Amino acid sequence: MKYIEVEQKSRLLSPVDGLKATLTERGAKRESSRQVDTYFNAPHRDFLGGEIISEWLRIREAGSASLNFKWWHPLEEKIKTHCDEYESAISDAEALRRTLAALDFTELTVVDKTREEWHLDGIALAFDSVTGLGDFVEFKGEAGSVEQATAAITEFVDSLGIELGEKINAGYPHLALGIHPSV
């Protein structure tokens, strides 16, 4: 499903070391990064203007840089199940930041996190430590449909035998701005 992302995020209640050992035993591949995400609001359409926030535009800097737009679905529902995601590499993040400022885009928030991402059985599992917000675990699935990806994530989590906290149906910018949809 190119350009569609299905993810589930929670606080982790089980010990991380045991889960990492299980992932290693099952042959998961791991990579680590620091990601600094700067989120912007558009002058022609206020992303924060409605009761339901469904859009984000960001520049990610993590060694390389990218521009990303997420459009969360269902659009008018507080709880989102997936998003259209369009991301492209950029060669000069500062030039793009200046371009957006010249076009009257405004910076909303910066999310600074360290991510340890593991890949196994078509699932990406990320341990995120987000400055000012805490520690999270995020699962992303790939499949032929949103429903299949959601089912694959559920089956994968169940196979790990871990205890997760309540699902967080919001992105890190929601949390950073204090606009979590369940609030």
Side-chain angles (χ1 to χ4, degrees):
M1 291 186 314
K2 189 173 182 175
Y3 305 122
I4 296 178
E5 178 183 73
V6 178
E7 70 179 32
Q8 294 179 9
K9 182 187 305 132
S10 299
R11 291 200 185 268
L12 184 64
L13 300 180
S14 297
V16 174
D17 293 340
L19 176 54
K20 290 180 181 181
T22 299
L23 292 168
T24 300
E25 289 168 12
R26 290 176 59 182
K29 304 298 180 208
R30 178 178 65 96
E31 54 192 58
S32 298
S33 63
R34 177 174 177 228
Q35 300 174 348
V36 179
D37 296 340
T38 305
Y39 290 85
F40 295 88
N41 203 0
H44 65 287
R45 182 169 65 228
D46 183 5
F47 296 158
L48 303 180
E51 182 180 327
I52 309 285
I53 310 299
S54 295
E55 300 173 280
W56 292 117
L57 178 69
R58 75 158 190 245
I59 296 174
R60 170 169 286 166
E61 296 172 89
S64 59
S66 64
L67 178 67
N68 177 287
F69 178 74
K70 289 188 179 192
W71 198 357
W72 289 94
H73 301 283
L75 290 176
E76 297 306 319
E77 298 294 326
K78 284 187 176 185
I79 306 302
K80 307 297 186 182
T81 59
H82 64 286
C83 69
D84 296 333
E85 181 175 33
Y86 312 118
E87 186 162 16
S88 186
I90 56 173
S91 61
D92 189 336
E94 183 58 27
L96 181 56
R97 192 180 333 278
R98 289 172 183 248
T99 299
L100 292 175
L103 295 171
D104 293 327
F105 282 72
T106 55
E107 186 177 306
L108 291 171
T109 191
V110 175
V111 174
D112 188 345
K113 69 178 176 271
T114 56
R115 170 169 279 184
E116 186 176 307
E117 191 166 77
W118 298 68
H119 297 270
L120 180 67
D121 299 334
I123 302 292
L125 182 157
F127 297 100
D128 290 337
S129 182
V130 184
T131 302
L133 297 177
D135 298 323
F136 303 85
V137 62
E138 186 176 279
F139 299 89
K140 294 182 184 181
E142 289 292 324
S145 71
V146 171
E147 295 78 14
Q148 290 171 339
T150 301
I153 291 170
T154 300
E155 183 178 322
F156 182 79
V157 171
D158 290 347
S159 78
L160 295 174
I162 58 174
E163 185 180 358
L164 296 174
E166 184 178 340
K167 280 186 188 174
I168 299 170
N169 296 301
Y172 296 127
H174 288 96
L175 300 173
L177 291 167
I179 52 174
H180 187 288
S182 64
V183 173

